Amino acid sequence: EVQLLESGGGLVQPGGSLRLFCAGSGITFSTAVMHWVRQAPGKGPEWVSVIRGGDGFTHYADSVKGRFIMSIDSSENKLYLQMNSLRVEDTAVYYCAREGFSSGRCGVFKDWGQGTLVTVSS
Amino acid sequence: DIQMTQSPSTVSASVRDRVTITCRASQSISSWLAWYQQKPGKAPKLLISKPSSLESGVPSRFSGSGSGTEFTLTISSLQPDDSATYYCQQYDSYSPTFGQGTKVEIK
């Protein structure tokens, strides 16, 4: 059974930075495809980024491109999301999620962590 | 980005009622659609993908159908545990997008 646990959220001022972490059990991030998905209060989920553990390929939503960086630490089996130049509209619960590969197609979120809240406010 | 629009926003139904939620895509997404269930304070849970394959452990009263731009999620006999918000999500493009959600309430 895959279990994911996010941490690192908190209150940060606009323009600031924060680093989120995702620890996993029952999964090796270096061979998996992993996503970050966020959900602003009262809103639907929003996909943020994906990383392919095998080759480190990453892809980002336009709303975070150039500001967020997703990475994997294979030695510690941890997933990271470095968030820079944070904006008020980045306020959300951030989830890490494992790719589900529907009929070999990427983009389905099969296993989720419990989320970590990021609040961007002055 | 592909826009996903769900209707209705809220549905209130009685136990054992049949409930149908519609999801429309702004362009054709073939069959690359998933449905999630989310309860308050919890992460979304994958129910169905492509768009009628039930995830393991999901009750058979849930079913999905559709292709192209119009899709439906049906709960054939609503149960108290089904009270939740349901989201559709497309994965046809490299940037997946979700609908705004449909809240299912038990009368």
Side-chain angles (χ1 to χ4, degrees):
Chain A
E1 182 191 4
V2 172
Q3 291 189 329
L4 301 168
L5 183 65
E6 304 90 341
S7 60
L11 175 64
V12 61
Q13 291 188 337
S17 297
L18 208 57
R19 195 181 200 195
L20 304 185
F21 308 84
C22 175
S25 61
I27 185 172
T28 301
F29 288 138
S30 61
T31 60
V33 176
M34 297 296 298
H35 302 265
W36 286 97
V37 179
R38 69 185 181 183
Q39 189 169 26
K43 302 291 186 183
E46 177 191 13
W47 173 79
V48 171
S49 60
V50 61
I51 190 166
R52 202 162 55 199
D55 60 7
F57 168 83
T58 54
H59 177 54
Y60 301 91
D62 287 344
S63 57
V64 307
K65 200 172 293 182
R67 300 188 297 124
F68 290 12
I69 300 170
M70 187 175 183
S71 61
I72 290 171
D73 183 332
S74 300
S75 63
E76 296 200 1
N77 198 36
K78 281 187 178 174
L79 188 68
Y80 299 102
L81 185 67
Q82 177 67 42
M83 304 187 296
N84 301 320
S85 302
L86 281 162
R87 305 167 180 168
V88 171
E89 55 265 34
D90 294 321
T91 294
V93 174
Y94 284 72
Y95 299 97
C96 60
R98 182 174 73 107
E99 172 58 50
F101 289 114
S102 166
S103 298
R105 185 89 169 206
C106 186
V108 171
F109 313 112
K110 185 173 178 64
D111 299 295
W112 300 63
Q114 90 293 341
T116 187
L117 176 62
V118 173
T119 303
V120 184
S121 175
S122 54
Chain B
D1 283 357
I2 299 174
Q3 307 301 317
M4 307 301 292
T5 304
Q6 290 180 233
S7 60
S9 298
T10 305
V11 57
S12 182
S14 301
V15 172
R16 290 182 296 278
D17 279 355
R18 183 182 185 88
V19 171
T20 298
I21 299 169
T22 298
C23 177
R24 289 186 172 88
S26 60
Q27 64 189 68
S28 177
I29 57 170
S30 185
S31 296
W32 305 115
L33 185 100
W35 290 96
Y36 298 81
Q37 177 193 65
Q38 187 176 32
K39 296 186 177 180
K42 300 293 187 182
K45 172 188 173 183
L46 178 63
L47 295 178
I48 293 172
S49 61
K50 211 213 168 215
S52 57
S53 299
L54 225 59
E55 285 296 298
S56 175
V58 174
S60 59
R61 62 181 179 272
F62 290 92
S63 64
S65 64
S67 66
T69 62
E70 187 152 336
F71 301 84
T72 58
L73 172 70
T74 299
I75 308 173
S76 60
S77 178
L78 190 66
Q79 299 300 306
D81 189 51
D82 301 336
S83 177
T85 301
Y86 293 83
Y87 295 97
C88 63
Q89 175 240 322
Q90 67 80 19
Y91 52 107
D92 181 65
S93 77
Y94 288 118
S95 297
T97 50
F98 290 82
Q100 81 282 11
T102 295
K103 187 173 184 179
V104 174
E105 298 175 339
I106 310 295
K107 278 183 188 174

